[in-house]
Amino acid sequence: MTVIDKLAAFEGEVPSSGATGPRTVRMPAFGISGQPTTLISLVTASLLVGAWWFVTEYGLVSSLFLPRPAEVLHQFVVVARDGYAGAPLIDHVGASLFRIGLAAALAILAGIPLGLLMGLNRFAKGILDTPIEFYWPLPPLSYLPLMIIWLGIGETSKVTLLFLAMFAPICLAAQSGVRSLPVERAQAARTLGATRLQLFAHIVLPGALPEILTGIRIALGVGWGTLVAAELIASTRGIGFLIMSAAQFLATDVVFVGIAIISVCAFSFAHAVRLAERLLVPWRGRG
Amino acid sequence: MLKIENASVFFEGRGRIVHALDRLNLDIADGDFVVALGTSGCGKSTLLNAIAGFLPLSEGRITLDGRAIAGPGADRGVVFQKDTLMPWLDVADNVALGLRFAGLARKARREKAEGLLDLVGLRDFGRSFPHELSGGMRQRVGIARALATDPDILLMDEPFGALDSMTREQMQQLLVDVWHRTGKRIFFITHSIEEALVLGTHIIVMSPRPGRIVARYRADFVRRLAEGASLKEIRLSDSFGPLREEIRDILHRDPEPKEEAA
Ligand SMILES: Nc1ncnc2c1ncn2[C@@H]1O[C@H](COP(=O)(O)OP(=O)(O)O)[C@@H](O)[C@H]1O
Ligand SMILES: [Mg+2]
């Protein structure tokens, strides 16, 4: 055996890091998670608005079907100033936000513990699975008439409807979060002396949090759809009602104002959940 | 004293009964470092899971200092082969998890965690998160975590199996230091003959189907290692090679796996 090169040490100079420090890199997670998409989205949005402006400005589409961006903006100012369909704009928006906010809070408060329990306990699973699996696939609007008959035309029926629509995805997500808990992790906690309650609070809940947050995002999507549809049918306040009233007068520009408000609200909610994810589960996909 | 008496385990799987442990007897006394050595599938993990309380025995009994084992508990610390750190806790909080379960105040927890991280050579990593550490470092955190609750025995299931050989040797040295300094009993599983010889005061060689102890050895390499000898000196010492070959012969002599009737 011959020694080829005993001193294989790097003999060059260590590259100086310069004034700005060395170029740091990081391990990308799977998928696009972590890469910024804001600019791409902004460009897409402005292209869409540009196309909208173009087809209306040059009369390619009648303004009865598609109002001009400027008209919608103007209508927004008018509605914000004078109200619409018998109520100030803030009341319409407030009514919708109240309904979805209350229903979401209730769905989260009930869905997370019940879902976790269903993932852990045979009896909870056996008892709750049947009603949930029965009602969850139904379109919420199909049982809205029942809600109205049982609970009246007021807020209770709408909030209940929304609660039911949003409860199931959160509950199912919490269940699947429990199932994805590696058995070794639970065993590790038990050998560290965790009681059942501690295991639940310190291991099961944080472990299920990523999936729960995904469930909440889905629930909010379902919630907005259900809310507006319910307001179209049975309401005297709310953004859905505003859209319905405007449609009866073929006020397409006001319809657009309503749609824009919904999309801003829904976007803010989704963004809030995304912020919560960044705050609560920064380790997502890395453990 | 950890006493395992006539421990048998039968699994049922896919219509077959697997005889994973057969009337196994083993004592682990204070200060012992017992290494279970055997090929994959000979029941090592089954034995450890039974000691840890994850798995009930089909027959026989296990007692720790006179108490019968009825489930997992903080008196038996476990270091897993798989990474079981909690990704949402930083390293110090992971180490102190058992202390948190025990109701210790945060300040006391962090202090104890710091001491343990020092012991496993991770002094400055308390605020890092598990995903920022290498496999070897994570395994050290796992050891520190298991030691934090001051268990009566440390159970380790192939803890270094996933590490490269250099890191593995460092970890062996580290574990021996920990063992020497804390005086803990350790039950350690491996399928590496050299690892078994270097670490164990007692080595039990197991064979599969049904899982049995086919040979028992006492070794003093680990004491020499603890007293400052290097791994190299130990591997090159006179008695090491013959013993290694003898055990290798035992492992190779194993009867062909015979099928068991359902
Ligand atoms: N949960 C289980 N269900 C059925 N069979 C199992 C289970 N766990 C282990 N076994 C069987 O028991 C035997 C011993 O397994 P194990 O203790 O994991 O071996 P080792 O850790 O020595 O590799 C193997 O034949 C394995 O297939
Ligand atoms: Mg094993």
Side-chain angles (χ1 to χ4, degrees):
Chain A
M1 193 173 83
T2 52
V3 175
I4 296 171
D5 187 1
K6 246 182 157 169
L7 189 74
F10 182 66
E11 286 183 351
E13 246 178 80
V14 176
S16 89
S17 53
T20 52
R23 190 176 89 95
T24 60
V25 294
R26 57 194 287 256
M27 176 73 78
F30 181 70
I32 62 155
S33 124
Q35 287 163 269
T37 55
T38 325
L39 189 64
I40 304 171
S41 307
L42 281 178
V43 170
T44 312
S46 30
L47 281 178
L48 285 172
V49 173
W52 176 18
W53 175 82
F54 184 83
V55 296
T56 49
E57 194 64 28
Y58 292 94
L60 301 178
V61 180
S62 153
S63 75
L64 180 64
F65 299 121
L66 189 63
R68 275 183 283 187
E71 282 170 359
V72 174
L73 211 61
H74 174 70
Q75 221 21 266
F76 175 76
V77 174
V78 170
V79 172
R81 194 184 56 210
D82 303 341
Y84 195 82
L89 180 62
I90 192 80
D91 282 13
H92 288 300
V93 177
S96 292
L97 285 179
F98 168 76
R99 288 165 190 148
I100 196 166
L102 180 61
L106 293 175
I108 288 170
L109 284 179
I112 294 176
L114 284 179
L116 294 179
L117 203 62
M118 286 173 74
L120 293 170
N121 182 285
R122 185 159 66 101
F123 291 98
K125 171 87 176 160
I127 292 168
L128 292 171
D129 224 13
T130 316
I132 292 177
E133 290 298 330
F134 172 72
Y135 95 79
W136 158 236
L138 299 174
L141 287 186
S142 66
Y143 50 84
L144 174 61
L146 262 185
M147 293 292 129
I148 294 173
I149 294 170
W150 289 346
L151 301 168
I153 194 91
E155 295 302 318
T156 318
S157 59
K158 280 185 280 287
V159 172
T160 308
L161 182 83
L162 277 177
F163 167 78
L164 288 175
M166 298 170 79
F167 170 80
I170 296 173
C171 182
L172 294 175
Q175 273 183 66
S176 112
V178 175
R179 275 199 297 273
S180 64
L181 173 79
V183 63
E184 291 88 356
R185 210 177 264 175
Q187 290 178 336
R190 297 292 306 281
T191 62
L192 293 170
T195 61
R196 296 204 138 259
L197 198 67
Q198 285 171 332
L199 188 67
F200 191 84
H202 292 288
I203 310 297
V204 176
L205 180 62
L209 214 48
E211 297 202 39
I212 290 174
L213 284 167
T214 304
I216 291 176
R217 262 161 94 162
I218 295 170
L220 284 172
V222 176
W224 279 104
T226 311
L227 171 73
V228 173
E231 287 177 343
L232 291 175
I233 294 172
S235 180
T236 58
R237 290 280 187 285
I239 308 169
F241 170 70
L242 180 141
I243 293 174
M244 198 62 196
S245 314
Q248 276 162 2
F249 299 106
L250 289 182
T252 325
D253 42 7
V254 180
V255 172
F256 267 77
V257 169
I259 292 174
I261 292 173
I262 293 170
S263 76
V264 168
C265 290
F267 180 82
S268 315
F269 273 50
H271 196 69
V273 178
R274 225 168 301 164
L275 277 182
E277 273 177 352
R278 209 170 305 161
L279 221 65
L280 294 173
V281 290
W283 44 271
R284 177 172 213 162
R286 295 178 186 276
Chain B
M1 177 83 89
L2 181 95
K3 271 187 109 58
I4 302 166
E5 294 165 276
N6 284 314
S8 291
V9 169
F10 300 87
F11 287 115
E12 193 186 340
R14 308 193 181 281
R16 291 188 323 127
I17 304 274
V18 178
H19 196 172
L21 275 191
D22 184 31
R23 284 161 297 169
L24 188 138
N25 287 287
L26 178 68
D27 288 351
I28 302 179
D30 275 343
D32 279 359
F33 195 141
V34 176
V35 179
L37 172 67
T39 52
S40 167
C42 69
K44 306 182 296 294
S45 295
T46 303
L47 178 58
L48 183 137
N49 286 337
I51 301 173
F54 303 146
L55 183 77
L57 292 175
S58 300
E59 283 158 33
R61 61 187 220 127
I62 304 177
T63 52
L64 177 57
D65 300 329
R67 291 162 278 135
I69 281 168
D75 54 346
R76 284 147 290 145
V78 180
V79 180
F80 297 79
Q81 174 168 21
K82 263 178 84 174
D83 177 17
T84 57
L85 301 179
M86 309 302 159
W88 54 86
L89 298 177
D90 71 17
V91 163
D93 280 342
N94 262 295
V95 170
L97 190 57
L99 304 173
R100 186 168 182 187
F101 292 147
L104 239 73
R106 185 177 164 78
K107 196 164 172 296
R109 294 202 307 256
R110 295 294 286 204
E111 260 168 33
K112 183 110 192 254
E114 244 169 63
L116 285 163
L117 285 173
D118 224 16
L119 181 70
V120 297
L122 288 177
R123 179 198 281 277
D124 296 323
F125 289 90
R127 289 183 186 284
S128 302
F129 279 84
H131 69 80
E132 295 165 339
L133 305 184
S134 69
M137 289 157 90
R138 265 183 283 204
Q139 214 45 277
R140 292 180 201 215
V141 179
I143 294 172
R145 178 179 76 174
L147 287 169
T149 48
D150 198 18
D152 298 327
I153 184 169
L154 211 53
L155 310 172
M156 311 178 81
D157 192 348
E158 301 195 27
F160 309 148
L163 304 178
D164 63 82
S165 58
M166 275 83 75
T167 310
R168 195 172 177 144
E169 288 190 5
Q170 285 173 11
M171 296 294 292
Q172 290 167 352
Q173 184 70 58
L174 175 105
L175 181 63
V176 169
D177 289 344
V178 167
W179 170 73
H180 191 61
R181 270 198 257 172
T182 62
K184 288 262 178 268
R185 282 173 281 195
I186 297 182
F187 178 71
F188 185 103
I189 291 177
T190 183
H191 54 244
S192 152
I193 300 173
E194 293 205 348
E195 186 164 73
L197 283 176
V198 160
L199 292 180
T201 58
H202 299 68
I203 297 151
I204 58 171
V205 184
M206 295 177 66
S207 80
R209 278 169 280 257
R212 284 190 176 136
I213 298 177
V214 290
R216 298 176 194 247
Y217 289 91
R218 296 179 69 110
D220 61 354
F221 301 114
V222 66
R223 298 205 192 278
R224 279 153 59 186
L225 196 59
E227 278 151 18
S230 72
L231 277 167
K232 181 176 156 191
E233 282 166 351
I234 284 168
R235 276 197 301 259
L236 292 177
S237 66
D238 287 342
S239 48
F240 193 88
L243 198 49
R244 182 185 60 206
E245 294 314 314
E246 187 180 325
I247 294 177
R248 177 164 291 147
D249 284 344
I250 295 176
L251 289 173
H252 283 271
R253 180 185 78 196
D254 261 354
E256 281 299 299
K258 52 177 193 289
E259 290 295 315
E260 280 174 64

